[in-house]
Amino acid sequence: MCNMTFEENSGENSSDRMESVATALEEVLSSALPQGCITVGVYEAAKSLNADPDNVVLCLLATDEEEDVALQIHFTLIQAFCCENYINILRVSNMRRLAEILGGGVKPAADLDLHCILVTNPQSSFCKDPALSKVNRFCRDSRCLDQWVPVINLPDR
């Protein structure tokens, strides 16, 4: 069910809302990382999705300037799988910022394949995270506007 106000629908506060969702996404990633709730990389994400899709709470597909056809095919397959399994998806721009957020906790930032990132949920308390709720609500509201894979720009810090 879609319950959006006229202001949200018309985009009047859209830049504030996007900034708020971007901040919430950073919080989700920052809190999930030390808990071991992050899967990084297209191949690793596919393995995780195949093994336990019910454990995945969010899928991030990072955009960059490259037009890699193979990567786009992977994205299409991952998006279809996520939609079929009711997993929220976001396209995220600013891969450099993603590397800053995730770089310290996974591998050296230069070695990261940031094109696909999964946030998993091994602890039930993480489900009640207000930042994750905000991101999930944004994804749900975007679907109501036929934006099945909304794009978020992570601002530089």
Side-chain angles (χ1 to χ4, degrees):
M1 178 168 198
C2 300
N3 295 323
M4 295 186 72
T5 65
F6 178 74
E7 291 80 19
E8 290 171 327
N9 244 342
S10 66
E12 207 169 284
N13 296 321
S14 65
S15 64
D16 290 341
R17 186 166 189 237
M18 288 291 201
E19 188 174 314
S20 171
V21 172
T23 301
L25 179 58
E26 287 187 36
E27 289 175 28
V28 167
L29 293 173
S30 295
S31 66
L33 191 59
Q35 296 180 46
C37 300
I38 299 285
T39 302
V40 178
V42 173
Y43 180 71
E44 291 78 10
K47 286 193 315 186
S48 181
L49 285 167
N50 187 47
D52 191 7
D54 294 334
N55 195 36
V56 178
V57 295
L58 183 63
C59 176
L60 305 176
L61 300 174
T63 60
D64 58 12
E65 303 305 315
E66 296 177 24
E67 289 297 323
D68 183 350
V69 174
L71 185 61
Q72 294 308 315
I73 292 170
H74 288 295
F75 280 3
T76 301
L77 294 171
I78 289 170
Q79 287 175 27
F81 188 89
C82 288
C83 287
E84 187 175 301
N85 288 281
Y86 306 105
I87 298 168
N88 287 321
I89 313 165
L90 280 175
R91 290 289 296 238
V92 179
S93 60
N94 196 348
M95 288 181 68
R96 189 172 56 74
R97 180 67 184 132
L98 270 176
E100 290 173 3
I101 296 168
L102 299 175
V106 186
K107 297 191 241 183
D111 295 337
L112 291 177
D113 169 15
L114 297 176
H115 290 105
C116 185
I117 300 166
L118 299 180
V119 179
T120 56
N121 185 21
Q123 299 174 359
S124 60
S125 63
F126 189 61
C127 276
K128 296 173 179 71
D129 180 26
L132 181 60
S133 295
K134 180 179 270 190
V135 172
N136 286 336
R137 188 171 42 255
F138 174 77
C139 291
R140 185 191 65 232
D141 292 347
S142 295
R143 281 193 301 275
C144 290
L145 298 172
D146 287 332
Q147 296 172 353
W148 289 89
V149 184
V151 178
I152 291 291
N153 181 34
L154 291 175
D156 289 320
R157 299 275 183 230

